[in-house]
Amino acid sequence: MTIKDLAKLSGYSLGTVSRVLNNQPNVSEQARKTILALVEAHGFERNASAQLLKQQRTKSVLIVVKGTSNEMFAAMVEKLQSLFADTDHPVIADFIDEDDNEVRRAAQLCRERKPSGVLFLGGNNENFRGDFGRIDVPSVVVTNDAHELGFLNLSSVSTDDCKGAACAVEHLLACGHRDIIVLGGDRAISDTSAKRYEGCVEAFRKNGLTFDDETMYYTGRYSYEFGYNGMKQVLCERKKLTAVFAMADVIAIGAIRALFDEGLRVPEDISVAGYDGLRIGGYFVPKLTTIAQSVDLLAERSFDLLLSCMQGAQAQHLTVPFRLLTRQSVRQITEIEG
Amino acid sequence: MTIKDLAKLSGYSLGTVSRVLNNQPNVSEQARKTILALVEAHGFERNASAQLLKQQRTKSVLIVVKGTSNEMFAAMVEKLQSLFADTDHPVIADFIDEDDNEVRRAAQLCRERKPSGVLFLGGNNENFRGDFGRIDVPSVVVTNDAHELGFLNLSSVSTDDCKGAACAVEHLLACGHRDIIVLGGDRAISDTSAKRYEGCVEAFRKNGLTFDDETMYYTGRYSYEFGYNGMKQVLCERKKLTAVFAMADVIAIGAIRALFDEGLRVPEDISVAGYDGLRIGGYFVPKLTTIAQSVDLLAERSFDLLLSCMQGAQAQHLTVPFRLLTRQSVRQITEIEG
DNA sequence: TTGTATGCGTTATCAA
DNA sequence: TTGATAACGCATACAA
């Protein structure tokens, strides 16, 4: 069933059928009615490939998601889909592996699907430097500051990872912790980890202390597994330790499990702070103290920004606030001076 | 940059360029080399829409995933992608809302992308009954038994949800629990919930007890939220209670949090069993006792089955084993007789 | 308001 | 081994 068949069946020409299908004005009520009836009766659907091949741009918006099982991104996709549902922009969501090059993938999909805008959930500035030149539609990176890249069609919405991490560490310091280790990611690979690392250094310095890369920073993937194994390794190596800052909630959860398995209690023996504010953190026992990024806020800002850029506005780089959720996994180990 | 440009640049004709791009045999080494060099130099990529429009079927395999933030499905997609990576079948993963009609969506995508096979992660038999007739390529539903539907091109791979639930409940009974409530889904909507419900009834009957829908079964979505709120509601209504069977790990986790918030300990005061075997269950405190479905096994079987069906084999309906993981969230409340 | 004709980028058929 | 040419299904400029 093609529009050609529709034309034959209805007695109208190809052009008229096409116009009806595209809701164009210059069509008689009569024609519209009979053709739409036929469409309904035969369950006709346009061939998307043909349509795409013909049009040079569609109204659709592409969302490239980095990481198939990233809870925060999954939640953001849902939020974004509900936001776009109220517009006339269909969304194409594409999930890629955490290690894949999101910009190349987007460039390929731009050729294939001709979207009028791109949204990146997660991203690495290095990749943008390399291939973003091939993308010419308004784009927004979420959770990564793209300010320094200087592309005119690339905006970004992120939380200040440096300040966020600093806030977490300062909270630990304020609670009296001095023997702190940090479980994070490889700074050479992940911009996010690099920023959060900076925040740690900052917080220590501000308190007249030094953050020592060698002895205080352990790296791995943002996963339960690394949290668990990394923590075990730390416990083997170090004797003195009162608090852990994990650069992701999943790491924190893995770490807490490792501590429990070694007979240590959280927060009684060791305090653990996370980052992200995943839903599971509010259900975990103990409830996770963490730096919460607002999924809704990130999604809404990105949505607004992309829409306005698609209407011609200039690229912008926004920062959305984070919140320190002081829950149950961190405790005060010194008397509060009064 | 199109193959037309490639033809001009290389001095060869369109036909030759197309043949080179498709690795066809009857092309001179000379032509192949010069054209491939041009492709490399200009970073040429074929226009997928044009290709699709021309071909009536591609080698790609479509995976329709029901539920954007379903951890088990996310893990399965990853596994499947790695399996298909070793074949010449590109995979198209499509994530839809839990409430959307997966079969309609697949039918639409079949028209658009012309895959040679479809994999459904999650699904509802009702939807298949309605629209699967529109899909004519070999397909496999995972986690749902499609045996009774009788479609010749529809296979399925699932765990026996009835037996799995029965196993969980029997474990609770064997541990001496009699005052049990079940947190599950709406049987009218979810086939999975209906099967697991059956299993509960079965297990009770086998032990000379009766499972009472009215007082023992509470329904909601498979989510932390329902686990939490459902459990709270139960605690308001009932006085006597020693164990909970949650039809999903996320429900179990929500329920455990609710119990802790009410000052009850798990498993000392109340035992909780889950279903699914999510990774988080192994990190949770206490570690979750649960019925584990093997993600790897489900993925591998579906993969094998789909490939063989695409090569002409008959549809099959497979069951993969589950395992009862007895961990920390359920305890024995009677002395073991002996 | 409607019909006709052209081309989007590709593959495939046929001749050369 | 290569080149010319006809589709694939649709949108659109232009003619009627």
Side-chain angles (χ1 to χ4, degrees):
Chain A
M1 175 75 25
T2 73
I3 64 169
K4 219 180 208 163
D5 300 318
L6 243 32
K8 269 192 200 119
L9 286 172
S10 68
Y12 287 97
S13 76
L14 241 97
T16 306
V17 174
S18 177
R19 278 185 284 265
V20 168
L21 258 30
N22 292 304
N23 282 319
Q24 290 187 12
N26 41 356
V27 168
S28 69
E29 225 14 75
Q30 173 68 335
R32 192 179 302 279
K33 251 175 70 182
T34 55
I35 291 171
L36 251 27
L38 248 7
V39 167
E40 187 65 27
H42 292 75
F44 166 83
E45 287 176 49
R46 280 216 256 336
N47 179 313
S49 302
Q51 197 171 23
L52 237 50
L53 176 58
K54 186 63 193 174
Q55 297 174 324
Q56 68 281 54
R57 189 127 296 169
T58 69
K59 297 206 130 195
S60 63
V61 165
L62 172 65
I63 305 182
V64 177
V65 187
K66 209 167 176 183
T68 320
S69 26
N70 181 319
E71 187 189 311
M72 200 172 75
F73 287 164
M76 271 183 51
V77 171
E78 285 187 1
K79 178 74 182 175
L80 285 166
Q81 274 175 331
S82 80
L83 287 171
F84 278 109
D86 296 333
T87 70
D88 61 342
H89 299 284
V91 350
I92 306 164
D94 190 67
F95 292 73
I96 64 171
D97 195 90
E98 209 175 336
D99 301 322
D100 288 349
N101 187 316
E102 68 281 0
V103 185
R104 283 212 193 117
R105 176 66 179 166
Q108 183 200 336
L109 284 171
C110 279
R111 279 183 49 90
E112 289 183 10
R113 313 295 297 267
K114 313 274 176 57
S116 48
V118 181
L119 219 36
F120 292 90
L121 264 44
N124 190 298
N125 282 352
E126 196 52 36
N127 294 337
F128 280 83
R129 241 176 241 113
D131 291 287
F132 189 73
R134 289 160 56 194
I135 295 178
D136 57 357
V137 292
S139 307
V140 178
V141 210
V142 191
T143 70
N144 223 308
D145 183 6
H147 180 71
E148 60 176 66
L149 295 175
F151 288 108
L152 291 174
N153 59 331
L154 181 60
S155 300
S156 62
V157 178
S158 55
T159 56
D160 189 329
D161 282 307
C162 178
K163 281 209 184 121
C167 175
V169 173
E170 278 180 40
H171 177 62
L172 292 176
L173 292 170
C175 286
H177 297 280
R178 288 297 175 275
D179 296 304
I180 298 172
I181 68 101
V182 177
L183 299 174
D186 188 334
R187 287 176 288 150
I189 298 174
S190 153
D191 294 336
T192 302
S193 296
K195 288 261 180 63
R196 292 181 189 172
Y197 180 89
E198 250 183 78
C200 295
V201 174
E202 191 79 16
F204 268 75
R205 196 179 47 208
K206 215 161 149 186
N207 285 267
L209 303 166
T210 315
F211 184 73
D212 178 32
D213 193 1
E214 292 285 316
T215 59
M216 305 166 78
Y217 193 56
Y218 293 76
T219 66
R221 295 183 75 98
Y222 283 18
S223 66
Y224 295 134
E225 287 72 18
F226 165 60
Y228 190 83
N229 297 327
M231 194 68 235
K232 284 256 174 168
Q233 191 192 330
V234 170
L235 291 175
C236 283
E237 293 178 6
R238 281 178 69 104
K239 321 135 249 260
K240 248 182 112 192
L241 177 70
T242 70
V244 175
F245 169 47
M247 286 188 183
D249 285 346
V250 287
I251 298 179
I253 287 173
I256 293 176
R257 182 73 251 174
L259 291 166
F260 269 92
D261 284 357
E262 293 294 319
L264 295 162
R265 292 159 306 163
V266 176
E268 290 80 358
D269 298 318
I270 303 224
S271 291
V272 178
Y275 201 118
D276 280 343
L278 299 189
R279 275 200 305 247
I280 180 70
Y283 291 94
F284 202 74
V285 182
K287 286 190 191 170
L288 215 55
T289 288
T290 191
I291 300 294
Q293 312 194 57
S294 167
V295 165
D296 285 353
L297 219 49
L298 284 167
E300 282 162 16
R301 290 280 176 282
S302 325
F303 170 78
D304 291 340
L305 193 49
L306 185 61
L307 279 194
S308 65
C309 287
M310 289 186 334
Q311 283 156 16
Q314 271 201 338
Q316 286 181 57
H317 299 275
L318 306 180
T319 300
V320 306
F322 56 82
R323 284 193 311 144
L324 168 66
L325 299 184
T326 53
R327 295 196 286 210
Q328 304 170 335
S329 64
V330 170
R331 80 172 181 103
Q332 184 94 23
I333 60 169
T334 48
E335 296 302 313
I336 296 168
E337 298 170 24
Chain B
M1 174 75 25
T2 74
I3 64 169
K4 219 178 207 164
D5 300 319
L6 244 31
K8 270 195 198 114
L9 286 173
S10 67
Y12 286 97
S13 76
L14 241 101
T16 305
V17 174
S18 177
R19 279 186 284 266
V20 168
L21 258 29
N22 292 304
N23 283 320
Q24 289 185 14
N26 41 356
V27 167
S28 69
E29 229 8 80
Q30 173 68 336
R32 194 179 300 280
K33 253 176 67 183
T34 55
I35 291 172
L36 250 28
L38 248 7
V39 167
E40 186 66 27
H42 292 75
F44 166 83
E45 287 175 50
R46 276 218 253 342
N47 180 313
S49 301
Q51 198 171 21
L52 236 51
L53 175 59
K54 188 63 194 170
Q55 297 175 327
Q56 67 282 53
R57 189 127 295 170
T58 70
K59 298 207 131 194
S60 63
V61 165
L62 172 66
I63 305 181
V64 177
V65 187
K66 210 169 172 179
T68 320
S69 26
N70 181 318
E71 187 189 312
M72 200 171 75
F73 288 164
M76 273 185 50
V77 171
E78 284 186 2
K79 178 74 183 176
L80 285 166
Q81 274 176 331
S82 80
L83 287 170
F84 278 109
D86 296 333
T87 69
D88 60 344
H89 299 284
V91 351
I92 305 165
D94 189 68
F95 292 74
I96 64 171
D97 194 89
E98 208 175 337
D99 301 322
D100 288 349
N101 186 315
E102 67 282 1
V103 186
R104 285 213 193 115
R105 176 66 179 166
Q108 184 199 337
L109 284 170
C110 279
R111 278 184 49 88
E112 289 182 11
R113 313 296 296 268
K114 312 275 174 56
S116 49
V118 181
L119 219 37
F120 291 91
L121 263 44
N124 190 297
N125 281 352
E126 196 51 35
N127 294 337
F128 280 84
R129 241 176 242 115
D131 292 287
F132 189 73
R134 289 160 57 194
I135 296 177
D136 56 357
V137 292
S139 306
V140 178
V141 210
V142 191
T143 71
N144 224 306
D145 183 5
H147 180 71
E148 60 175 65
L149 295 175
F151 288 107
L152 292 173
N153 58 333
L154 181 60
S155 299
S156 63
V157 178
S158 54
T159 56
D160 189 329
D161 283 308
C162 178
K163 280 207 184 122
C167 174
V169 173
E170 277 180 41
H171 176 62
L172 292 176
L173 292 170
C175 286
H177 296 281
R178 286 299 175 272
D179 297 305
I180 298 172
I181 67 102
V182 177
L183 299 174
D186 187 335
R187 287 176 288 150
I189 298 174
S190 154
D191 295 336
T192 302
S193 296
K195 289 261 180 61
R196 293 181 188 171
Y197 180 88
E198 251 184 78
C200 295
V201 173
E202 191 78 18
F204 268 74
R205 197 179 47 210
K206 215 162 151 185
N207 285 267
L209 303 165
T210 315
F211 184 73
D212 178 31
D213 192 2
E214 291 285 315
T215 59
M216 304 167 79
Y217 193 57
Y218 293 76
T219 65
R221 297 183 74 98
Y222 283 18
S223 65
Y224 295 134
E225 287 72 18
F226 166 60
Y228 190 84
N229 297 327
M231 194 68 235
K232 284 256 174 166
Q233 192 192 330
V234 170
L235 292 175
C236 283
E237 293 178 7
R238 282 179 68 102
K239 323 135 244 264
K240 251 182 108 192
L241 177 71
T242 70
V244 175
F245 169 48
M247 286 189 182
D249 286 346
V250 288
I251 298 179
I253 287 173
I256 292 175
R257 182 73 251 175
L259 290 166
F260 269 93
D261 284 357
E262 293 296 317
L264 295 163
R265 291 158 306 161
V266 177
E268 290 80 357
D269 299 318
I270 303 222
S271 291
V272 178
Y275 200 117
D276 281 342
L278 300 190
R279 275 200 304 248
I280 180 71
Y283 292 96
F284 203 74
V285 182
K287 285 189 192 172
L288 215 54
T289 288
T290 191
I291 301 293
Q293 312 194 56
S294 166
V295 165
D296 285 354
L297 219 50
L298 284 167
E300 281 161 17
R301 290 281 176 282
S302 325
F303 170 78
D304 291 340
L305 194 49
L306 185 61
L307 278 194
S308 66
C309 287
M310 288 185 336
Q311 284 155 17
Q314 272 202 336
Q316 284 183 57
H317 299 275
L318 306 179
T319 300
V320 307
F322 56 82
R323 285 192 310 144
L324 169 66
L325 300 183
T326 54
R327 295 195 286 209
Q328 304 170 335
S329 64
V330 170
R331 80 173 181 100
Q332 185 92 23
I333 60 168
T334 48
E335 296 303 313
I336 296 169
E337 298 171 24

